Amino acid sequence: MSDKPKMSLTKKVLIAFAVLVVIAAFAGRNGESKKQSEKAPEPAIEYPENETALIEASKKAMNKAKKAENDMQKGSALNERNNTICSSIGSFTVTDWVGTISKIDSNSDGYGVLKIELAKNIYVQTWNNSLSDTFDHTLIKPSTTLFETVSNLKKGQKVKFSGKFFKDDDTCISEGSLSLDGKLKEPEYIFRFSQVTPL
């Protein structure tokens, strides 16, 4: 026969209750931390209709260029893209387009250089040197509100912007790539920014 004292029923009940309280408290904290770790989904970004048209026309040309068997077929894809953009973009001045900062820099004179990605491999940008910018004046002048705003933005930041494209007789809107492949696979549409604001 054991000499160990028997635990009373009341004591057993109290211990069981204490264990349940600890388990419940732990579960509550775990659930709360899980809720905190689950971030609310970002609201969907609405693109202006003319921006969507430019993106879709550019994507379609990209896909055709990938399947093209020769440069003549690539030229056809580029021509189709240019015609679509011309017929759908409307005014060359656009308002409240949306994109992601791809590059913030300056040229040798300290003027601002800005490149914004609209969709994968589709960009609007200033020229990056004074010679190319002789007639378009896209480089952002220091001591302006726009320069100050842009200089405080970061690569990868989503922004809303306004400004204007430049008419080009060959490509509808001016595009900065030097090669046919560049124009199709990674278009860089030349743009003069009038306003850029973080989202």
Side-chain angles (χ1 to χ4, degrees):
M1 188 172 180
S2 174
D3 293 331
K4 290 181 181 179
K6 292 182 178 180
M7 188 181 293
S8 67
L9 181 61
T10 303
K11 197 169 184 180
K12 287 180 180 178
V13 170
L14 287 173
I15 291 172
F17 180 73
V19 169
L20 288 173
V21 168
V22 170
I23 292 172
F26 178 78
R29 282 198 302 270
N30 193 39
E32 189 66 30
S33 62
K34 186 177 180 182
K35 284 181 182 177
Q36 290 174 355
S37 65
E38 291 175 356
K39 293 181 180 179
E42 292 184 5
I45 295 174
E46 291 187 14
Y47 290 84
E49 188 175 338
N50 50 358
E51 180 179 4
T52 301
L54 182 140
I55 290 172
E56 292 306 315
S58 300
K59 285 182 176 179
K60 187 175 180 181
M62 284 178 183
N63 292 331
K64 285 197 169 187
K66 288 176 184 175
K67 298 173 184 175
E69 296 178 0
N70 54 58
D71 280 355
M72 188 175 284
Q73 290 179 0
K74 290 178 184 179
S76 175
L78 180 62
N79 184 62
E80 184 180 333
R81 182 192 78 188
N82 297 338
N83 290 337
T84 301
I85 290 174
C86 268
S87 63
S88 59
I89 196 172
S91 172
F92 284 78
T93 299
V94 300
T95 304
D96 291 342
W97 279 29
V98 178
T100 304
I101 298 289
S102 175
K103 180 181 181 181
I104 295 177
D105 202 351
S106 69
N107 73 344
S108 58
D109 298 317
Y111 281 65
V113 173
L114 179 61
K115 186 174 185 178
I116 293 179
E117 188 173 42
L118 305 183
K120 187 176 180 181
N121 295 329
I122 303 171
Y123 304 93
V124 294
Q125 64 176 46
T126 63
W127 287 110
N128 60 10
N129 66 86
S130 297
L131 183 60
S132 299
D133 199 41
T134 300
F135 300 107
D136 296 333
H137 307 295
T138 64
L139 292 167
I140 303 170
K141 294 180 181 179
S143 304
T144 62
T145 302
L146 179 61
F147 187 95
E148 184 178 348
T149 300
V150 172
S151 67
N152 287 304
L153 298 174
K154 297 178 180 178
K155 184 177 179 180
Q157 188 169 0
K158 290 192 178 300
V159 293
K160 185 177 285 189
F161 64 92
S162 302
K164 67 169 291 187
F165 292 100
F166 298 91
K167 183 172 177 57
D168 186 284
D169 291 336
D170 295 323
T171 58
C172 180
I173 56 176
S174 182
E175 198 278 334
S177 302
L178 297 176
S179 68
L180 177 60
D181 279 343
K183 283 178 168 59
L184 286 163
K185 296 179 181 178
E186 198 169 335
E188 298 172 329
Y189 300 109
I190 302 304
F191 194 81
R192 184 194 297 157
F193 295 92
S194 60
Q195 186 175 24
V196 181
T197 55
L199 283 178

